[in-house]
Coordinates of all heavy atoms in Angstrom, one line a residue:
R98 N 62.4 -31.6 -64.9 CA 63.3 -32.8 -64.9 C 63.7 -33.1 -66.3 O 63.1 -32.8 -67.3 CB 62.6 -34.0 -64.3 CG 62.1 -33.7 -62.8 CD 61.4 -34.9 -62.2 NE 60.9 -34.6 -60.9 CZ 59.7 -34.0 -60.8 NH1 58.9 -33.7 -61.8 NH2 59.3 -33.7 -59.6
P99 N 64.8 -33.9 -66.4 CA 65.3 -34.3 -67.7 C 64.4 -35.2 -68.5 O 64.4 -35.2 -69.8 CB 66.6 -35.1 -67.4 CG 67.1 -34.5 -66.1 CD 65.8 -34.2 -65.4
D100 N 63.4 -35.9 -67.8 CA 62.5 -36.7 -68.6 C 61.3 -35.9 -69.1 O 60.4 -36.4 -69.7 CB 61.9 -37.8 -67.7 CG 61.1 -37.3 -66.5 OD1 61.0 -36.1 -66.3 OD2 60.7 -38.1 -65.7
G101 N 61.3 -34.5 -68.9 CA 60.3 -33.7 -69.5 C 59.2 -33.4 -68.5 O 58.3 -32.6 -68.8
S102 N 59.2 -34.0 -67.3 CA 58.1 -33.8 -66.4 C 58.4 -32.5 -65.6 O 59.6 -32.0 -65.6 CB 58.0 -35.0 -65.4 OG 59.2 -35.1 -64.6
M103 N 57.4 -32.0 -65.0 CA 57.5 -30.7 -64.2 C 56.7 -30.8 -63.0 O 55.6 -31.4 -63.0 CB 57.1 -29.6 -65.1 CG 57.2 -28.2 -64.5 SD 56.6 -26.8 -65.6 CE 57.8 -27.0 -67.0
T104 N 57.2 -30.2 -61.9 CA 56.4 -30.1 -60.7 C 56.3 -28.7 -60.2 O 57.3 -27.9 -60.2 CB 57.1 -30.9 -59.5 OG1 57.1 -32.3 -59.9 CG2 56.3 -30.8 -58.2
L105 N 55.1 -28.2 -59.9 CA 54.8 -26.9 -59.5 C 54.0 -27.0 -58.1 O 53.5 -28.0 -57.8 CB 54.0 -26.1 -60.5 CG 54.8 -25.9 -61.9 CD1 53.8 -25.3 -62.9 CD2 56.0 -25.0 -61.7
P106 N 53.9 -25.9 -57.4 CA 53.3 -26.0 -56.1 C 51.9 -26.6 -56.0 O 51.6 -27.3 -55.1 CB 53.2 -24.5 -55.7 CG 54.5 -23.9 -56.3 CD 54.5 -24.6 -57.6
L107 N 51.0 -26.4 -57.0 CA 49.7 -26.9 -56.9 C 49.7 -28.5 -57.1 O 48.7 -29.1 -56.7 CB 48.8 -26.3 -58.0 CG 48.2 -25.0 -57.7 CD1 47.5 -24.4 -59.0 CD2 47.2 -25.1 -56.6
D108 N 50.8 -29.0 -57.6 CA 50.8 -30.5 -57.7 C 50.8 -31.2 -56.4 O 50.4 -32.4 -56.3 CB 52.1 -30.9 -58.4 CG 52.1 -30.5 -59.9 OD1 51.0 -30.7 -60.5 OD2 53.1 -29.9 -60.4
A109 N 51.1 -30.5 -55.3 CA 51.1 -31.1 -54.0 C 49.6 -31.5 -53.6 O 49.4 -32.3 -52.7 CB 51.7 -30.2 -52.9
Y110 N 48.7 -30.9 -54.3 CA 47.3 -31.2 -53.9 C 46.6 -32.2 -54.8 O 45.4 -32.5 -54.7 CB 46.4 -29.9 -54.0 CG 46.8 -28.9 -53.0 CD1 47.9 -28.0 -53.2 CD2 46.1 -28.8 -51.8 CE1 48.2 -27.0 -52.2 CE2 46.4 -27.9 -50.8 CZ 47.5 -27.0 -51.0 OH 47.8 -26.1 -50.0
V111 N 47.4 -32.8 -55.7 CA 46.8 -33.8 -56.7 C 47.4 -35.2 -56.4 O 48.6 -35.4 -56.3 CB 47.2 -33.4 -58.1 CG1 46.7 -34.4 -59.1 CG2 46.6 -32.0 -58.5
S112 N 46.5 -36.1 -56.3 CA 46.8 -37.5 -56.1 C 46.2 -38.3 -57.2 O 44.9 -38.5 -57.2 CB 46.4 -38.1 -54.7 OG 46.5 -39.5 -54.7
L113 N 47.0 -38.7 -58.2 CA 46.4 -39.5 -59.3 C 45.8 -40.8 -58.8 O 44.9 -41.3 -59.4 CB 47.5 -39.7 -60.4 CG 48.0 -38.4 -61.0 CD1 49.0 -38.8 -62.1 CD2 46.9 -37.5 -61.6
K114 N 46.4 -41.4 -57.8 CA 45.9 -42.6 -57.2 C 44.5 -42.4 -56.7 O 43.6 -43.2 -56.9 CB 46.8 -43.1 -56.1 CG 46.3 -44.4 -55.5 CD 47.3 -44.9 -54.4 CE 46.9 -46.2 -53.8 NZ 47.8 -46.6 -52.7
D115 N 44.2 -41.3 -56.0 CA 42.9 -41.0 -55.4 C 41.9 -40.8 -56.6 O 40.8 -41.3 -56.5 CB 43.0 -39.8 -54.6 CG 43.6 -40.0 -53.2 OD1 43.8 -41.2 -52.9 OD2 43.8 -39.1 -52.5
E116 N 42.3 -40.1 -57.6 CA 41.4 -39.8 -58.7 C 41.1 -41.1 -59.5 O 39.9 -41.3 -59.9 CB 42.1 -38.8 -59.7 CG 42.3 -37.4 -59.2 CD 41.1 -36.7 -58.7 OE1 40.0 -37.0 -59.3 OE2 41.1 -36.0 -57.7
S117 N 42.0 -42.0 -59.6 CA 41.7 -43.3 -60.2 C 40.7 -44.1 -59.4 O 39.8 -44.7 -59.9 CB 43.0 -44.1 -60.3 OG 42.8 -45.3 -60.9
T118 N 40.8 -44.0 -58.1 CA 39.9 -44.7 -57.2 C 38.5 -44.2 -57.4 O 37.5 -44.9 -57.4 CB 40.3 -44.6 -55.7 OG1 41.6 -45.2 -55.5 CG2 39.3 -45.3 -54.8
I119 N 38.4 -42.8 -57.4 CA 37.1 -42.2 -57.6 C 36.5 -42.6 -59.0 O 35.3 -42.9 -59.1 CB 37.2 -40.7 -57.5 CG1 37.5 -40.3 -56.1 CG2 36.0 -40.0 -58.0 CD1 37.9 -38.8 -55.9
V120 N 37.3 -42.6 -60.0 CA 36.8 -43.0 -61.4 C 36.3 -44.4 -61.4 O 35.3 -44.7 -62.0 CB 37.9 -42.7 -62.4 CG1 37.5 -43.5 -63.7 CG2 38.1 -41.3 -62.7
R121 N 37.0 -45.3 -60.7 CA 36.6 -46.7 -60.7 C 35.3 -46.9 -60.0 O 34.4 -47.7 -60.4 CB 37.7 -47.5 -60.0 CG 39.0 -47.7 -60.8 CD 40.1 -48.3 -60.0 NE 39.7 -49.6 -59.4 CZ 40.3 -50.1 -58.3 NH1 41.3 -49.4 -57.7 NH2 39.9 -51.2 -57.8
A122 N 35.1 -46.1 -58.9 CA 33.8 -46.2 -58.2 C 32.7 -45.6 -59.0 O 31.6 -46.2 -59.1 CB 33.9 -45.4 -56.9
E123 N 33.0 -44.5 -59.8 CA 31.9 -44.0 -60.7 C 31.6 -45.0 -61.8 O 30.4 -45.0 -62.2 CB 32.5 -42.7 -61.3 CG 32.5 -41.5 -60.2 CD 33.1 -40.3 -60.8 OE1 33.6 -40.3 -61.9 OE2 33.0 -39.2 -60.1
N124 N 32.6 -45.8 -62.2 CA 32.3 -46.8 -63.2 C 31.3 -47.8 -62.7 O 30.3 -48.2 -63.3 CB 33.6 -47.5 -63.6 CG 34.5 -46.7 -64.5 OD1 34.0 -45.8 -65.2 ND2 35.7 -47.1 -64.5
V125 N 31.5 -48.2 -61.4 CA 30.6 -49.2 -60.8 C 29.2 -48.6 -60.7 O 28.2 -49.3 -61.0 CB 31.1 -49.6 -59.4 CG1 30.1 -50.4 -58.6 CG2 32.5 -50.3 -59.5
L126 N 29.1 -47.4 -60.2 CA 27.7 -46.8 -60.1 C 27.1 -46.5 -61.4 O 25.9 -46.8 -61.5 CB 27.9 -45.4 -59.3 CG 28.4 -45.5 -57.9 CD1 28.6 -44.1 -57.3 CD2 27.4 -46.2 -57.0
A127 N 27.8 -46.1 -62.4 CA 27.3 -45.9 -63.7 C 26.8 -47.3 -64.3 O 25.7 -47.3 -65.0 CB 28.3 -45.3 -64.6
Q128 N 27.6 -48.3 -64.1 CA 27.2 -49.6 -64.6 C 25.9 -50.1 -64.0 O 25.0 -50.6 -64.7 CB 28.3 -50.6 -64.3 CG 28.0 -52.0 -64.8 CD 28.0 -52.1 -66.4 OE1 27.0 -51.9 -67.0 NE2 29.2 -52.4 -66.9
Q129 N 25.7 -49.9 -62.7 CA 24.5 -50.2 -62.0 C 23.3 -49.4 -62.5 O 22.2 -50.0 -62.7 CB 24.6 -50.0 -60.5 CG 25.6 -50.9 -59.8 CD 26.0 -50.5 -58.4 OE1 25.5 -49.5 -57.9 NE2 26.7 -51.4 -57.7
C130 N 23.5 -48.2 -62.8 CA 22.5 -47.3 -63.3 C 22.1 -47.8 -64.7 O 20.8 -47.8 -65.0 CB 23.0 -45.8 -63.4 SG 21.9 -44.7 -64.2
M131 N 23.0 -48.1 -65.5 CA 22.7 -48.6 -66.9 C 21.9 -49.9 -66.8 O 21.0 -50.1 -67.6 CB 24.0 -48.7 -67.7 CG 24.7 -47.4 -68.0 SD 23.8 -46.3 -69.1 CE 24.2 -47.1 -70.7
Q132 N 22.3 -50.8 -65.9 CA 21.6 -52.1 -65.8 C 20.2 -51.8 -65.4 O 19.3 -52.6 -65.8 CB 22.4 -52.9 -64.8 CG 23.7 -53.5 -65.3 CD 24.5 -54.2 -64.2 OE1 24.1 -54.2 -63.0 NE2 25.5 -54.9 -64.6
D133 N 19.9 -50.9 -64.5 CA 18.6 -50.6 -64.1 C 17.7 -50.1 -65.3 O 16.5 -50.2 -65.3 CB 18.5 -49.5 -63.1 CG 19.1 -49.9 -61.7 OD1 19.2 -51.2 -61.5 OD2 19.5 -49.1 -60.9
K134 N 18.4 -49.6 -66.3 CA 17.7 -49.2 -67.5 C 17.7 -50.3 -68.6 O 17.2 -50.0 -69.7 CB 18.4 -47.9 -68.1 CG 18.3 -46.7 -67.2 CD 19.1 -45.5 -67.8 CE 19.1 -44.3 -66.9 NZ 17.7 -43.7 -66.8
G135 N 18.2 -51.4 -68.2 CA 18.2 -52.5 -69.2 C 19.3 -52.4 -70.2 O 19.2 -53.0 -71.3

Side-chain angles (χ1 to χ4, degrees):
R98 302 180 187 83
D100 65 1
S102 64
M103 184 181 295
T104 298
L105 297 172
L107 278 171
D108 290 315
Y110 292 86
V111 176
S112 168
L113 299 183
K114 182 179 179 180
D115 285 352
E116 295 301 326
S117 179
T118 299
I119 290 171
V120 165
R121 288 168 57 202
E123 288 177 350
N124 286 339
V125 172
L126 294 174
Q128 182 69 271
Q129 293 171 353
C130 173
M131 295 293 281
Q132 289 175 349
D133 291 343
K134 297 176 181 294

